[in-house]
Amino acid sequence: MKLIRKTLSIIPLFNGLSSEQLDEIGAITVERRYGRGDSIFMEGDAADGFYIVADGQVKIFKTSLEGKEQILHIYGPGNPFGEVPVFSGRRFPANAVALVGSRILFLPRGAFVDLIARHPSLSMNMLGELSMRLREFTVQIENLSLKEVPSRLASYLIYLASEQETANRVTLKISKGQLASLLGTIPETLSRIFAKMTAQNLIRVEGKTIRLLDPLGLEDLAAAGKLAE
Amino acid sequence: MKLIRKTLSIIPLFNGLSSEQLDEIGAITVERRYGRGDSIFMEGDAADGFYIVADGQVKIFKTSLEGKEQILHIYGPGNPFGEVPVFSGRRFPANAVALVGSRILFLPRGAFVDLIARHPSLSMNMLGELSMRLREFTVQIENLSLKEVPSRLASYLIYLASEQETANRVTLKISKGQLASLLGTIPETLSRIFAKMTAQNLIRVEGKTIRLLDPLGLEDLAAAGKLAE
């Protein structure tokens, strides 16, 4: 219980809430543990609450009938997920699995909706969170429909650099296969693009670390959509 | 002013609000008129409020540097749009133009956020609205990355039939060119698919009306991703 309360206090969704309000949330929160590869929920499952990653990493994805997978998000500590059916539809619109052993907080729907109705700052935070997700999806749809894969990769590296607050070096926290799926391509194509971008001195790959050698060149590539021949 | 107040009372976002609350919203609402093709806002513009379609039709879209367009939504009477920057980021993540002469309500950011903070039912409605958008984007990303175009068209026709509450007949409210862009393809490809689906007795096209001759066949196509040869 003490650990839950401590985790809640550092979750961005709950920024600006008073200590008493965090206690109220702590009182309805349940902690669950998942092993690597464990399913947390499947698309179409009835949703009786939503989740927050306390420790670990979670993949949110859709699959086609043929088993092809499109990753929608990879979430880490502090990120809420599965909150859409709390407010609309009542069923999960995608699948969630733990990518590593994970400690996950579960917040039951009814009690949480009741808290939101009583605490305007919580509802404003939740509106900000959902709006940010909509913004991310807008970018992802643009990437899938309007950009070639090299340009998607350049956009993603720039996004990581700003998220990790490192100007010229990013750390990949997901496998190359997962990155390929996130960008809507296959690992073989992604490897070829990494090789080509390396040959053009745009990046240098050092294991999980990627050095951004030419940030301006990457921004051009992200905007233009095509890699020079 | 009376017309604005009447329009507000039939907007789903404001369902369940009292007459006094609607008056408060009416007091901050501004009406604007746009001609066919007029820009309402552009991606990157600073946002000082959001919009609701009173009459007419609005297209929300992204464009690539080469001018290729991806439609994100087509909105009609009662639909809010441009609300993401009210809660996150402060800038519009996409473009909006009027497809026909339109009467649009504008709700200024500060006054609306103040109303939301005071009225939990309004904030719950807004959370429901944003969640529904996230659900739609999830489907759109799935369509773009996991499905072939015939399957996307079948999904869209089934979606329209459920939205228009007509089991075996739907009315297209957008042009074929716009439909092609919404489905992430070009008009020529879309025409070929319409012809092929007609030949297979899945649909019959009668101008803007499309008869769904074989709803189960369409559902198979939507799920499977491929049209039989």
Side-chain angles (χ1 to χ4, degrees), chain A residues 43 62-66 68-72 83-94 113 116-118 120 123-124 126-135 137-142 144-146 184 220 223-226, chain B residues 43 62-66 68-72 83-94 113 116-118 120 123-124 126-135 137-142 144-146 184 220 223-226:
Chain A
E43 179 175 351
K62 305 270 277 187
T63 47
S64 69
L65 280 187
E66 298 88 33
K68 197 183 150 194
E69 183 180 300
Q70 170 66 43
I71 296 181
L72 299 175
E83 68 275 68
V84 164
V86 170
F87 306 108
S88 147
R90 301 292 183 93
R91 285 181 189 279
F92 291 112
V113 165
I116 280 210
R118 284 187 289 117
S123 98
M124 285 305 295
M126 189 51 106
L127 285 164
E129 182 71 31
L130 296 184
S131 296
M132 207 166 62
R133 298 278 161 88
L134 280 167
R135 204 172 268 280
F137 272 155
T138 306
V139 173
Q140 203 168 352
I141 289 172
E142 177 181 30
L144 287 171
S145 78
L146 300 179
D220 285 348
K226 279 181 193 153
Chain B
E43 179 174 352
K62 305 272 275 189
T63 47
S64 69
L65 280 188
E66 298 88 34
K68 199 182 148 193
E69 183 180 300
Q70 171 66 43
I71 295 181
L72 299 173
E83 68 277 67
V84 164
V86 170
F87 306 108
S88 145
R90 300 293 182 95
R91 285 179 188 277
F92 292 112
V113 165
I116 280 208
R118 284 187 288 119
S123 100
M124 285 306 293
M126 189 51 102
L127 285 163
E129 182 70 33
L130 297 184
S131 297
M132 208 167 62
R133 297 278 161 88
L134 280 168
R135 202 172 270 281
F137 272 154
T138 306
V139 172
Q140 204 170 350
I141 290 171
E142 177 180 31
L144 287 172
S145 78
L146 300 179
D220 285 348
K226 279 182 193 151

Side-chain angles (χ1 to χ4, degrees), chain A residues 158-170:
Chain A
I158 292 166
Y159 161 77
L160 279 187
S162 94
E163 198 197 45
Q164 297 177 6
E165 296 181 1
T166 51
N168 48 22
R169 194 169 44 96
V170 302

Side-chain angles (χ1 to χ4, degrees), chain B residues 20 47 58 60 66 82 101 124 130 133 196 202 225:
Chain B
E20 291 72 26
V58 169
I60 313 293
E66 298 88 34
M124 285 306 293
L130 297 184
R133 297 278 161 88
K196 199 160 177 182
L202 288 166

Side-chain angles (χ1 to χ4, degrees), chain B residues 53-203:
Chain B
V53 183
D55 285 311
Q57 200 174 41
V58 169
K59 174 174 78 171
I60 313 293
F61 64 105
K62 305 272 275 189
T63 47
S64 69
L65 280 188
E66 298 88 34
K68 199 182 148 193
E69 183 180 300
Q70 171 66 43
I71 295 181
L72 299 173
H73 307 281
I74 302 271
Y75 287 134
N79 290 135
F81 63 98
E83 68 277 67
V84 164
V86 170
F87 306 108
S88 145
R90 300 293 182 95
R91 285 179 188 277
F92 292 112
N95 310 283
V97 302
L99 287 176
V100 296
S102 299
R103 197 163 60 85
I104 307 285
L105 305 181
F106 175 75
L107 289 89
R109 186 179 188 279
F112 187 72
V113 165
D114 180 57
L115 280 180
I116 280 208
R118 284 187 288 119
H119 302 307
S121 52
L122 181 56
S123 100
M124 285 306 293
N125 288 359
M126 189 51 102
L127 285 163
E129 182 70 33
L130 297 184
S131 297
M132 208 167 62
R133 297 278 161 88
L134 280 168
R135 202 172 270 281
E136 288 167 9
F137 272 154
T138 306
V139 172
Q140 204 170 350
I141 290 171
E142 177 180 31
N143 281 342
L144 287 172
S145 78
L146 300 179
K147 287 185 179 172
E148 305 292 334
V149 182
S151 170
R152 296 179 202 168
L153 176 57
S155 303
Y156 184 71
L157 294 175
I158 292 166
Y159 161 77
L160 278 187
S162 94
E163 198 198 44
Q164 297 177 4
E165 295 180 1
T166 50
N168 49 20
R169 193 169 46 93
V170 302
T171 307
L172 285 185
K173 291 177 180 156
I174 55 179
S175 73
K176 295 256 166 80
Q178 286 158 1
L179 179 58
S181 166
L182 187 66
L183 300 176
T185 187
I186 56 174
E188 293 72 21
T189 304
L190 186 64
S191 293
R192 271 203 305 277
I193 293 166
F194 265 119
K196 199 160 177 182
M197 285 169 71
T198 302
Q200 294 184 3
N201 287 317
L202 288 166
I203 57 171

Side-chain angles (χ1 to χ4, degrees), chain A residues 37-209:
Chain A
D38 285 355
S39 170
I40 302 170
F41 55 75
M42 308 249 305
E43 179 175 351
D45 281 356
D48 51 358
F50 76 102
Y51 301 82
I52 299 171
V53 182
D55 284 312
Q57 201 176 39
V58 169
K59 173 174 77 172
I60 312 294
F61 63 104
K62 305 270 277 187
T63 47
S64 69
L65 280 187
E66 298 88 33
K68 197 183 150 194
E69 183 180 300
Q70 170 66 43
I71 296 181
L72 299 175
H73 308 280
I74 303 271
Y75 287 135
N79 291 135
F81 63 97
E83 68 275 68
V84 164
V86 170
F87 306 108
S88 147
R90 301 292 183 93
R91 285 181 189 279
F92 291 112
N95 310 282
V97 303
L99 287 176
V100 297
S102 300
R103 196 164 61 84
I104 307 284
L105 306 182
F106 175 75
L107 289 88
R109 187 179 187 280
F112 187 71
V113 165
D114 180 56
L115 280 181
I116 280 210
R118 284 187 289 117
H119 302 306
S121 53
L122 181 54
S123 98
M124 285 305 295
N125 289 359
M126 189 51 106
L127 285 164
E129 182 71 31
L130 296 184
S131 296
M132 207 166 62
R133 298 278 161 88
L134 280 167
R135 204 172 268 280
E136 288 167 8
F137 272 155
T138 306
V139 173
Q140 203 168 352
I141 289 172
E142 177 181 30
N143 280 341
L144 287 171
S145 78
L146 300 179
K147 287 186 179 170
E148 306 292 333
V149 182
S151 171
R152 295 178 204 168
L153 176 57
S155 303
Y156 184 71
L157 294 175
I158 292 166
Y159 161 77
L160 279 187
S162 94
E163 198 197 45
Q164 297 177 6
E165 296 181 1
T166 51
N168 48 22
R169 194 169 44 96
V170 302
T171 308
L172 285 184
K173 292 180 177 154
I174 54 179
S175 72
K176 295 255 167 81
Q178 285 159 1
L179 179 59
S181 165
L182 187 65
L183 300 177
T185 187
I186 56 174
E188 292 72 20
T189 303
L190 186 63
S191 293
R192 271 202 305 277
I193 293 166
F194 265 119
K196 200 162 175 183
M197 285 169 73
T198 302
Q200 294 185 0
N201 287 315
L202 288 166
I203 57 170
R204 188 164 65 228
V205 182
E206 299 167 348
K208 284 282 187 189
T209 298

